[in-house]
Amino acid sequence: MKILLVGSGGREHAMAWKIRQSPLCDALYVAPGNPGTALLGINIPLKVTDFVALGKFCEGEKIDLVVVGPEAPLVEGIRDYFESNPSLSHVGIVGPGKLGAQLEGSKDFSKAFMNRHGIPTAAASTFSDSASAVSYVEKCKTPIVIKADGLAAGKGVIITSSREEASITVKEMLDDKRFGDAGSKVLIEDFLTGTELSVFVLTDGAHYVILPEAKDYKRIGDDDQGPNTGGMGAVSPVVFADADFMKKVEQKIIAPTIRGLKEENISYRGFIFFGLINVSGEPYVIEYNARMGDPETQSVMLRLKSDLVPLLQATAKGTLKDMHAEFQKQFAVTISMVAEGYPGNYKKGTEITIGASQSPVFHAGTRQEGSRLLSDGGRVISATGMGESLQGAIQQAYETVSLVNWDGVYFRKDIGKDLLNWKN
Ligand code: AMP
Ligand code: GLY
């Protein structure tokens, strides 16, 4: 089978690493890929949202399966483009259409969807004019959670205990267009207190396979201090997600979500990422994403024992019934190594050296210039480790970190440590 993977981050390098291990994969292309994926397949210099060029490539190379990594091409309708083009109708796609991707692309859409299907989530109200939003803010409980409706590169959520700051924020979003059209509606929702985790499924719209869960570390600094990032590390499994909790997640969240999509005739074939919060043992949905997480994927792929390709193929074809995935019991830890200054301004183009490690080093934001590997993004490298114990996996991941060097490297020192002596 010929596979095209769309994307260029650590998530895609980890997926490429797993796909490449499959005897079913005859050829792997990655668009646009990175120097890490270049070692596993052929990088094709195409933009992830250039559907015309991606379509032509698939036609020319007789690609069987397209796996979409990031959200932008999904929300912009890559599946709809392929499905509406007869010469591409034979190509299987892992990733929902434009409507299904609204689960991630519009927080108003996903909140209304959860409410229609009785899926536990924070209560929220949506506003499109700032006067009503401000008068609502004046009465609501603190802390106040304000969310831009659309995609805002992970920056569209503001949590504040100051009503004044909340009022300024809604005005910035609605009147000053701080997030462009993504902020033309805002949600103001109740604050939930608990511990977050991410749960992933592959679904063909009727059936689903649950993949290993993971905990992401979103803040830049140790002990969850400082601004939010794309993710500074990920641990899988998550100790507090025991069998009882995961049963609740499946019964109260996963199954009703898939049922809801089916009832609403939203054909969905792809990954669903459930961003959850554990509130005193009860799971609530914070957000849906229409894709896998980054860096969670890196830990999830390390733990997946089953061949990923038949699962992806069945997702695209609508034949996931009776399929299941097996995972290693071992712990997997990923540490994001980032450029100094991230998530603010940072320098690109610094030379990176990588020594031989026991566990994979996934590239996230790198580029090759001749024989030199250079940094090319905020999150540069995902260093991984595995172990029978969480402590062992953390230790191996930091050993991997010690083998990767560049001037101005920064990483969190505490990934996974909060889970070492976890008490429910
Ligand atoms: P989101 O983009 O919706 O995932 O929100 C970003 C982050 O804001 C989440 O990962 C949470 O840490 C936090 N957050 C979002 N909604 C809530 C909420 N209702 N209560 C508490 N924290 C929240
Ligand atoms: N790590 C969070 C995300 O991928 O959205």
Side-chain angles (χ1 to χ4, degrees):
M1 189 186 323
K2 289 175 128 186
I3 301 176
L4 171 68
L5 177 61
V6 176
S8 63
R11 166 182 50 212
E12 287 76 23
H13 187 181
M15 283 184 176
W17 172 82
K18 186 67 191 168
I19 289 172
R20 196 64 260 191
Q21 292 166 25
S22 170
L24 297 171
C25 176
D26 300 313
L28 174 64
Y29 300 93
V30 192
N34 65 36
T37 64
L39 302 172
L40 299 162
I42 299 174
N43 284 352
I44 307 296
L46 297 177
K47 269 180 58 184
V48 299
T49 49
D50 188 348
F51 302 157
V52 176
L54 291 168
K56 280 204 179 111
F57 177 78
C58 288
E59 224 183 310
E61 289 298 327
K62 301 203 166 36
I63 297 294
D64 302 291
L65 186 66
V66 175
V67 182
V68 186
E71 63 277 16
L74 296 169
V75 172
E76 290 184 29
I78 188 167
R79 168 179 285 277
D80 311 65
Y81 176 81
F82 272 63
E83 283 179 348
S84 67
N85 195 324
S87 59
L88 295 169
S89 56
H90 66 282
V91 183
I93 300 187
V94 178
K98 212 169 181 167
L99 186 56
Q102 286 295 91
L103 281 186
E104 171 163 7
S106 166
K107 292 190 189 292
D108 183 40
F109 175 92
S110 63
K111 188 64 74 175
F113 176 88
M114 288 185 264
N115 290 338
R116 281 197 293 281
H117 299 287
I119 296 164
T121 184
S125 299
T126 301
F127 298 91
S128 46
D129 82 283
S130 62
S132 350
V134 167
S135 71
Y136 183 84
V137 158
E138 277 159 11
K139 288 181 293 234
C140 68
K141 279 186 299 205
T142 58
I144 303 169
V145 181
I146 301 167
K147 298 185 173 184
D149 173 50
L151 293 184
K155 300 195 174 93
V157 177
I158 280 93
I159 300 177
T160 175
S161 291
S162 148
R163 289 205 169 77
E164 199 187 338
E165 192 190 343
S167 300
I168 293 170
T169 301
V170 293
K171 284 189 215 150
E172 278 175 357
M173 287 189 188
L174 290 169
D175 299 338
D176 308 338
K177 298 272 168 233
R178 175 166 153 199
F179 296 109
D181 281 349
S184 59
K185 283 194 258 181
V186 301
L187 278 76
I188 303 180
E189 70 177 45
D190 290 355
F191 180 81
L192 299 175
T193 304
T195 309
E196 289 177 60
L197 78 157
S198 312
V199 172
F200 308 96
V201 304
L202 263 172
T203 180
D204 60 7
H207 311 100
Y208 55 86
V209 168
I210 304 180
L211 301 171
E213 78 286 351
K215 182 175 190 286
D216 181 18
Y217 291 77
K218 287 190 164 52
R219 304 293 195 97
I220 187 73
D222 285 9
D223 301 320
D224 295 331
Q225 299 299 310
N228 262 329
T229 69
M232 294 299 292
V235 173
S236 180
V238 179
V239 284
F240 61 80
D242 55 18
D244 271 0
F245 182 78
M246 289 307 285
K247 200 165 153 198
K248 288 183 192 168
V249 170
E250 183 167 6
Q251 288 175 347
K252 298 184 177 185
I253 292 170
I254 298 174
T257 298
I258 309 297
R259 211 161 43 231
L261 289 167
K262 210 170 156 201
E263 275 170 24
E264 298 192 20
N265 287 319
I266 302 174
S267 147
Y268 196 112
R269 294 183 177 182
F271 291 100
I272 304 182
F273 165 152
F274 298 86
L276 306 180
I277 187 163
N278 174 352
V279 182
S280 312
E282 287 300 317
Y284 287 77
V285 178
I286 292 274
E287 63 165 353
Y288 287 116
N289 292 310
R291 53 170 175 85
M292 285 295 288
D294 187 343
E296 293 96 320
T297 303
Q298 290 83 315
S299 291
V300 169
M301 290 299 138
L302 284 177
R303 289 194 56 221
L304 190 60
K305 266 206 278 193
S306 310
D307 187 342
L308 180 60
V309 173
L311 291 166
L312 296 172
Q313 198 179 16
T315 299
K317 281 193 181 155
T319 55
L320 260 187
K321 188 167 189 273
D322 301 329
M323 302 224 20
H324 65 278
E326 280 186 49
F327 327 124
Q328 319 251 24
K329 283 221 166 60
Q330 288 196 343
F331 287 82
V333 171
T334 302
I335 296 159
S336 297
M337 301 179 71
V338 309
E340 191 176 5
Y342 173 80
N345 295 330
Y346 54 82
K347 215 168 82 184
K348 289 184 183 178
T350 309
E351 185 165 2
I352 306 163
T353 58
I354 304 180
S357 60
Q358 271 183 293
S359 190
V361 171
F362 294 120
H363 293 227
T366 66
R367 98 186 133 84
Q368 194 78 39
E369 201 178 84
S371 61
R372 301 192 321 147
L373 182 69
L374 305 178
S375 67
D376 198 35
R379 291 189 294 170
V380 177
I381 291 285
S382 300
T384 68
M386 287 196 84
E388 294 300 330
S389 67
L390 176 57
Q391 177 75 61
I394 293 172
Q395 196 177 336
Q396 194 183 67
Y398 281 103
E399 273 162 27
T400 310
V401 164
S402 73
L403 297 165
V404 180
N405 292 294
W406 72 87
D407 270 353
V409 58
Y410 171 80
F411 53 89
R412 273 181 65 161
K413 315 288 182 295
D414 65 340
I415 301 301
K417 300 218 168 117
D418 56 327
L419 298 175
L420 281 174
N421 299 307
W422 188 270
K423 300 245 175 345
N424 267 323

Short mmCIF file of all heavy atoms in Angstrom, two decimals, residues 216 230-231 273 289 291-296, ligand 2:
data_model
loop_
_atom_site.label_atom_id
_atom_site.label_comp_id
_atom_site.label_asym_id
_atom_site.label_seq_id
_atom_site.Cartn_x
_atom_site.Cartn_y
_atom_site.Cartn_z
N ASP A 216 -0.73 15.58 28.88
CA ASP A 216 0.09 16.60 28.22
C ASP A 216 0.49 17.64 29.27
O ASP A 216 -0.25 17.87 30.23
CB ASP A 216 -0.80 17.23 27.13
CG ASP A 216 -0.11 18.32 26.33
OD1 ASP A 216 1.12 18.39 26.35
OD2 ASP A 216 -0.84 19.09 25.67
N GLY A 230 2.16 24.58 22.86
CA GLY A 230 1.54 23.46 22.13
C GLY A 230 1.62 22.16 22.92
O GLY A 230 0.89 21.22 22.64
N GLY A 231 2.51 22.11 23.90
CA GLY A 231 2.69 20.89 24.70
C GLY A 231 4.17 20.66 24.95
O GLY A 231 4.95 20.55 24.01
N PHE A 273 -9.72 13.33 19.30
CA PHE A 273 -8.91 13.60 20.49
C PHE A 273 -9.87 14.23 21.49
O PHE A 273 -10.45 15.27 21.22
CB PHE A 273 -7.81 14.55 20.03
CG PHE A 273 -6.99 15.31 21.03
CD1 PHE A 273 -5.70 15.68 20.68
CD2 PHE A 273 -7.46 15.72 22.27
CE1 PHE A 273 -4.91 16.43 21.54
CE2 PHE A 273 -6.68 16.47 23.14
CZ PHE A 273 -5.41 16.82 22.75
N ASN A 289 -10.62 17.55 19.53
CA ASN A 289 -9.81 17.86 18.36
C ASN A 289 -10.06 16.78 17.33
O ASN A 289 -10.34 15.62 17.68
CB ASN A 289 -8.32 17.92 18.71
CG ASN A 289 -8.00 19.11 19.61
OD1 ASN A 289 -8.39 20.23 19.32
ND2 ASN A 289 -7.33 18.86 20.72
N ARG A 291 -8.04 15.34 15.34
CA ARG A 291 -6.70 14.85 14.98
C ARG A 291 -6.05 14.29 16.22
O ARG A 291 -6.63 14.37 17.30
CB ARG A 291 -5.88 16.04 14.47
CG ARG A 291 -5.94 17.14 15.53
CD ARG A 291 -5.03 18.29 15.35
NE ARG A 291 -5.27 19.31 16.37
CZ ARG A 291 -4.75 19.34 17.58
NH1 ARG A 291 -3.91 18.39 17.95
NH2 ARG A 291 -5.04 20.28 18.44
N MET A 292 -4.85 13.76 16.10
CA MET A 292 -4.09 13.34 17.27
C MET A 292 -3.40 14.55 17.91
O MET A 292 -3.28 15.60 17.30
CB MET A 292 -3.03 12.32 16.86
CG MET A 292 -3.58 10.94 16.55
SD MET A 292 -4.29 10.12 18.00
CE MET A 292 -2.82 9.72 18.95
N GLY A 293 -2.96 14.38 19.14
CA GLY A 293 -2.26 15.45 19.85
C GLY A 293 -0.77 15.41 19.56
O GLY A 293 -0.22 14.38 19.17
N ASP A 294 -0.13 16.52 19.80
CA ASP A 294 1.32 16.63 19.66
C ASP A 294 1.81 17.35 20.90
O ASP A 294 1.39 18.50 21.11
CB ASP A 294 1.64 17.42 18.38
CG ASP A 294 3.11 17.43 18.05
OD1 ASP A 294 3.93 17.11 18.93
OD2 ASP A 294 3.45 17.75 16.90
N PRO A 295 2.55 16.76 21.82
CA PRO A 295 3.39 15.57 21.68
C PRO A 295 2.77 14.25 22.17
O PRO A 295 3.50 13.26 22.29
CB PRO A 295 4.59 15.92 22.57
CG PRO A 295 3.98 16.67 23.70
CD PRO A 295 2.84 17.46 23.09
N GLU A 296 1.45 14.20 22.43
CA GLU A 296 0.87 12.96 22.95
C GLU A 296 1.09 11.77 21.98
O GLU A 296 1.35 10.65 22.40
CB GLU A 296 -0.63 13.10 23.19
CG GLU A 296 -1.00 14.06 24.30
CD GLU A 296 -1.33 15.44 23.78
OE1 GLU A 296 -0.65 15.92 22.84
OE2 GLU A 296 -2.29 16.04 24.29
N1 GLY B 2 -0.86 18.81 22.83
C1 GLY B 2 -2.12 19.37 22.58
C2 GLY B 2 -2.55 19.37 21.19
O1 GLY B 2 -2.02 18.71 20.33
O2 GLY B 2 -3.52 20.07 20.91
#
